[in-house]
Amino acid sequence: MAFTLVIHGGAGNITPAIMNAEQEKQYSAGLKEALDKGYEILHKGGSAMDAVIASITTLEDNPLFNAGRGAVFTKKGLNEMDAAIMDGSNLMAGAVAGVRNIKNPIKLAREIMLKSGHVFLSGEGAAEFALNQGIEMAPDEYFFNRLRYDQWVEIRDSDFYQLDHKADNLKGQAANPEYKFGTVGAVACDEQGNLAAGTSTGGMTNKRFGRIGDSPVIGAGTYANNKTCAISCTGHGEPFLRAVVAHDVSCIMEYKGLSLQDACALVIKDKLVKIGGEGGLIAVDAKGNYDFCFNSAGMYRGMRDSEGKSMVAFYGE
Ligand code: ASP
């Protein structure tokens, strides 16, 4: 049977005007590497869940993206990360919020799903669980990134927070033309027709202590159900939380019978726009149909499938 893997590296005002040839090369290489890692697993008959973890781990290790190593700085000058994973075959899920010094938060989310008896752990409790499970830690220096640090220094004395890179000033509304959201995510359909979705993020620069976005919230930024679809979102988290975006796409498919593409378009290009939400999502269904859907200028994205189809792209049509 066929399989499909789809990834994103964040959405936002990604246009040719803010990218030079070298950056295009780097982002393209980063996305391809993540696709290859997940593809290898699916190609060998591995599970959608393992492929999603492999792709996201690769993106977390790449400082270009706002997750894991490249996580942005909070108001306190720290890196606090959120991540979630969901298995569409049994509706099991694991999520983590506000963790520090975890090398790959997506792996911690999987451990929470498999071993904690809970779905969602945060802060100190998550850190203690990580320690007990032998999850790999990394020192503060590992997460230090000059560009992101300078972005934070520019606004740290204000009440504003901003999206990844030269983000909007602020309070959540996009104002600067160079803002991007750098969260990473992956969704996959494996040979068995099982779906999985995962998302990992550093959140938003200068975010308040304890702020949690949509990414780790099951149903908002991440959702998977074999009956419908697997979804990973990226964008300004607050509207995505209020619109419960990922679960809404699934519900529209389940209860109204819309196709994957139509359900994604209804949520991202209509419902979310009406509440001022900007960003996008990646989606796959159990037949291997996939979609990239965004209402921002661009989204770092890519896909690879068993039919030999493969692509990466950044900009809108
Ligand atoms: N959705 C993420 C958040 O609000 C940000 C992003 O997608 O880059 O934390």
Side-chain angles (χ1 to χ4, degrees):
M1 220 189 108
F3 61 79
T4 307
L5 173 68
V6 189
I7 63 170
H8 72 73
N13 198 21
I14 301 161
T15 63
I18 64 148
M19 298 273 287
N20 61 37
E22 183 53 31
Q23 286 170 321
E24 285 185 350
K25 220 168 95 184
Q26 288 177 2
Y27 276 95
S28 183
L31 292 169
K32 278 190 186 135
E33 190 191 355
L35 281 171
D36 290 349
K37 288 277 157 57
Y39 177 90
E40 267 173 43
I41 290 172
L42 293 170
H43 184 63
K44 288 184 192 145
S47 69
M49 172 60 61
D50 287 348
V52 163
I53 297 279
S55 290
I56 292 181
T57 300
T58 309
L59 293 165
E60 286 178 336
D61 290 346
N62 186 335
L64 281 181
F65 301 100
N66 171 21
R69 186 169 194 182
V72 296
F73 290 87
T74 66
K75 187 149 188 59
K76 294 195 172 174
L78 306 171
N79 311 101
E80 286 180 5
M81 300 167 285
D82 304 334
I85 187 89
M86 185 156 183
D87 186 336
S89 69
N90 53 14
L91 304 185
M92 293 293 284
V96 63
V99 284
R100 305 195 50 225
N101 302 99
I102 300 292
K103 185 163 177 281
N104 294 109
I106 197 69
K107 291 187 178 168
L108 177 54
R110 179 180 54 187
E111 289 300 291
I112 290 168
M113 173 178 80
L114 296 175
K115 300 188 185 142
S116 73
H118 300 293
V119 170
F120 206 168
L121 295 182
S122 69
E124 276 176 40
E128 191 188 272
F129 177 78
L131 206 66
N132 292 340
Q133 296 302 316
I135 290 282
E136 192 175 356
M137 310 289 284
D140 286 350
E141 303 78 73
Y142 173 81
F143 299 92
F144 185 82
N145 178 302
R146 172 57 60 187
L147 174 79
R148 295 230 160 77
Y149 186 78
D150 290 346
Q151 288 165 355
W152 168 68
V153 166
E154 270 178 40
I155 63 164
R156 67 179 165 191
D157 295 326
S158 72
D159 279 340
F160 297 125
Y161 64 94
Q162 70 182 17
L163 300 154
D164 185 26
H165 294 276
K166 296 249 171 89
D168 57 323
N169 291 336
L170 308 141
K171 295 200 163 160
Q173 283 305 310
N176 183 307
E178 290 187 37
Y179 67 91
K180 287 184 256 172
F181 317 82
T183 291
V184 308
V187 296
C189 169
D190 64 27
E191 280 187 344
Q192 319 302 319
N194 288 324
L195 303 183
T199 313
S200 181
T201 188
M204 294 162 83
T205 296
N206 215 34
K207 69 184 178 182
R208 264 174 207 279
F209 176 60
R211 179 266 187 189
I212 299 168
D214 61 311
S215 310
V217 176
I218 298 302
T222 307
Y223 190 73
N225 183 343
N226 278 8
K227 271 165 67 178
T228 52
C229 57
I231 305 278
S232 170
C233 299
T234 174
H236 181 197
E238 280 68 10
F240 276 73
L241 277 164
R242 292 191 282 118
V244 202
V245 167
H247 190 240
D248 198 23
V249 172
S250 173
C251 287
I252 290 169
M253 292 177 72
E254 185 171 0
Y255 305 142
K256 292 190 86 177
L258 265 65
S259 69
L260 183 75
Q261 272 82 6
D262 289 348
C264 291
L266 178 58
V267 174
I268 295 294
K269 297 195 171 160
D270 182 18
K271 296 175 82 170
L272 191 62
V273 172
K274 285 179 180 148
I275 60 164
E278 185 178 358
L281 57 74
I282 51 171
V284 68
D285 71 16
K287 293 189 190 109
N289 297 312
Y290 68 93
D291 196 25
F292 306 106
C293 188
F294 49 96
N295 62 30
S296 46
M299 180 164 82
Y300 297 118
R301 60 197 188 277
M303 61 76 57
R304 198 167 169 194
D305 70 12
S306 49
E307 312 298 302
K309 197 163 162 199
S310 163
M311 57 82 72
V312 299
F314 315 139
Y315 313 121
E317 300 312 324

